[in-house]
Amino acid sequence: MAKIVVIASGKGGVGKTTTSAAVATGLAMRGHKTVVIDFDIGLRNLDLIMGCERRVVYDFVNVINGESNLNQALIKDKRIEELFILPASQTRDKEALTQEGVEIVLTELKQRFDFIVCDSPAGIEHGAIMAMYFADEAIIVTNPEVSSVRDSDRIIGMLASKTYRAEHNMTPIKEHLLITRYAPKRVNSGEMLSAEDVQEILAIPLLGVIPESTSVLQASNAGIPVTLDKESDAGQAYLDVVARFLGENRPHRFMTSFKKNFLTRLFGN
Amino acid sequence: MSFFDYFRSSHQRKTADVAKERLQIIVAHERSKRNNPQPDYLPLLQKELLEVVRKYVVVEDEHIKVHIEKDGDYEVLEVNIALPETENRR
Ligand SMILES: Nc1ncnc2c1ncn2[C@@H]1O[C@H](COP(=O)(O)OP(=O)(O)OP(=O)(O)O)[C@@H](O)[C@H]1O
Ligand SMILES: [Mg+2]
């Protein structure tokens, strides 16, 4: 049975698109037929992060409006088998995403894919609600910082009230917490909320922690999802996240700084 | 790091701890508002009730609490007014 996974956060710029690209790529690398959809109407960016911006002809809204069919709009990734991208449109009309339209497209995609990853726009408006509405699972992307944590909590509240599963009294959307842009050094010095603190406040299961990493900017410069940079800390952290998402047990990494590791090795805990 | 810095840092609260505490309070507050949504007229009702009560007793703004509780099929309008010590009565 196909799974719809929304990548949401409330606050902007916390790493939703980076995560959508990385997780979708990771799932496809593991052999699952995966499509990643850009719900950020008017601010198309997933195509750039995935490196397929020059191959966009038709988009999500064209399909909804019947101006093209799905096959014409889906872009097949050139690096990974089983990976497809459905780009957002550049239209200014945010209401172009109707609930009925989204439902028709998702239903068709469910016949063909194992995972449908939905990259949500920032905010708590129509676009964000459309991205989460039909989801089975949600990855809440949070930075260890007060406004991001608070907005994540609002999104968690919306998942429990404004979605198809909520409105039809079905099993609630399965939630996963993903903490990104994590800087263990700053956590150790008491300037940054720890992953444990964020998890305790939001009270949903921790899927993983992605370190603040220069490899993310470099990957986006090149249009390569960071999961394909297997040498990088962020790439490895996302591969772990995908493995955990698929039900595997992987210890959390990249949560302590070298200094602390070194000291604990010397003196014990 | 001088001895003095060390002394100070062990006494000053880390900003991450402050952040955690503030978040716990605001998140709990916002969750309870979400789980028990209050009707739009409540702030105005509270204001007018306060005006009536003030004709007779001195009460501070923060000493009146008005909210609606769901109790099965019923909704209960709960008004809580803390009266001051007797010498402040009019
Ligand atoms: N782990 C990380 N380390 C360093 N930089 C990161 C990391 N994750 C994301 N970034 C950077 O943060 C910025 C925002 O990332 P991204 O576009 O993925 O966020 P977003 O949540 O999709 O934003 P928006 O809300 O605007 O859609 C980008 O410049 C990205 O390179
Ligand atoms: Mg984005």
Side-chain angles (χ1 to χ4, degrees):
Chain A
M1 189 55 192
K3 257 190 198 149
I4 302 178
V5 187
V6 62
I7 314 292
S9 73
K11 187 170 157 57
V14 298
K16 290 179 295 297
T17 301
T18 305
T19 298
S20 300
V23 167
T25 304
L27 287 167
M29 286 161 77
R30 301 287 305 264
H32 300 282
K33 289 200 79 159
T34 303
V35 57
V36 55
I37 309 179
D38 192 346
F39 273 78
D40 206 342
I41 303 304
L43 286 174
R44 168 158 91 209
N45 271 326
L46 181 67
D47 56 339
L48 270 178
I49 302 304
M50 293 294 299
C52 64
E53 69 278 5
R54 295 179 58 190
R55 295 167 62 208
V56 176
V57 183
Y58 294 108
D59 59 55
F60 195 7
V61 171
N62 290 139
V63 179
I64 286 177
N65 292 344
E67 291 148 8
S68 82
N69 63 36
L70 253 181
N71 283 329
Q72 292 171 301
L74 284 173
I75 301 171
K76 187 178 181 337
D77 190 88
K78 288 194 167 153
R79 299 155 294 209
I80 312 285
E81 277 292 310
E82 316 284 23
L83 179 60
F84 288 79
I85 299 108
L86 183 56
S89 82
Q90 297 282 47
T91 167
R92 297 239 188 119
D93 178 14
K94 305 230 181 233
E95 307 295 311
L97 284 186
T98 59
Q99 189 173 304
E100 301 71 45
V102 172
E103 183 169 19
I104 290 168
V105 174
L106 289 179
T107 308
E108 199 174 334
L109 289 172
K110 274 177 123 174
Q111 316 290 317
R112 298 175 45 181
F113 290 95
D114 302 324
F115 289 102
I116 300 163
V117 177
C118 304
D119 180 16
S120 173
I124 53 173
E125 312 293 313
H126 181 74
I129 293 178
M130 284 305 101
M132 71 170 68
Y133 191 76
F134 294 102
D136 301 305
E137 304 203 16
I139 296 179
I140 314 291
V141 181
T142 308
N143 291 167
E145 171 269 320
V146 285
S147 45
S148 173
V149 175
R150 180 205 211 164
D151 289 357
S152 291
D153 191 65
R154 292 189 72 180
I155 290 294
I156 292 169
M158 288 169 67
L159 290 171
S161 62
K162 298 221 175 341
T163 53
Y164 185 88
R165 281 177 172 270
E167 287 173 1
H168 293 77
N169 289 316
M170 294 163 65
T171 351
I173 292 175
K174 188 171 176 193
E175 299 156 329
H176 308 269
L177 174 62
L178 182 67
I179 300 173
T180 62
R181 310 202 69 160
Y182 197 66
K185 256 193 190 158
R186 301 175 67 189
V187 173
N188 285 345
S189 61
E191 313 163 41
M192 184 181 267
L193 286 161
S194 69
E196 291 83 356
D197 287 347
V198 176
Q199 195 275 329
E200 188 187 328
I201 293 161
L202 293 176
I204 61 172
L206 180 66
L207 180 64
V209 175
I210 311 295
E212 170 78 23
S213 167
T214 52
S215 59
V216 173
L217 182 61
Q218 294 194 38
S220 75
N221 283 342
I224 299 168
V226 73
T227 2
L228 289 177
D229 181 2
K230 292 181 197 160
E231 304 295 302
S232 71
D233 49 356
Q236 291 176 27
Y238 273 116
L239 285 172
D240 283 355
V241 159
V242 169
R244 282 188 213 110
F245 186 79
L246 293 171
E248 288 169 33
N249 231 324
R250 292 265 174 115
H252 289 283
R253 295 192 280 169
F254 313 107
M255 281 173 71
T256 46
S257 65
F258 172 74
K259 195 171 142 217
K260 183 159 180 213
N261 282 337
F262 181 65
L263 286 176
T264 37
R265 236 182 296 149
L266 269 184
F267 303 115
N269 266 314
Chain B
M1 192 159 78
S2 75
F3 174 74
F4 193 72
D5 282 339
Y6 175 79
F7 190 71
R8 191 169 49 199
S9 72
S10 64
H11 279 260
Q12 224 162 37
R13 291 186 65 210
K14 303 284 193 200
T15 58
D17 296 335
V18 179
K20 183 182 181 186
E21 198 180 301
R22 292 173 60 217
L23 275 169
Q24 279 172 325
I25 293 167
I26 189 68
V27 162
H29 177 72
E30 286 173 352
R31 274 184 201 160
S32 80
K33 262 201 331 208
R34 249 183 355 238
N35 297 336
N36 186 16
Q38 300 289 303
D40 296 342
Y41 62 74
L42 227 54
L44 194 61
L45 175 67
Q46 171 160 336
K47 183 171 160 280
E48 288 188 29
L49 277 174
L50 197 61
E51 278 162 18
V52 174
V53 174
R54 275 198 181 135
K55 287 185 183 165
Y56 305 93
V57 228
V58 182
V59 271
E60 299 294 326
D61 282 10
E62 62 267 22
H63 287 156
I64 179 166
K65 296 239 150 47
V66 178
H67 59 113
I68 289 193
E69 289 286 339
K70 268 224 172 73
D71 189 4
D73 289 346
Y74 293 94
E75 291 206 324
V76 179
L77 173 66
E78 204 176 287
V79 180
N80 253 298
I81 304 172
L83 294 181
E85 306 287 324
T86 31
E87 62 266 28
N88 283 338
R89 299 233 169 117
R90 283 198 178 149

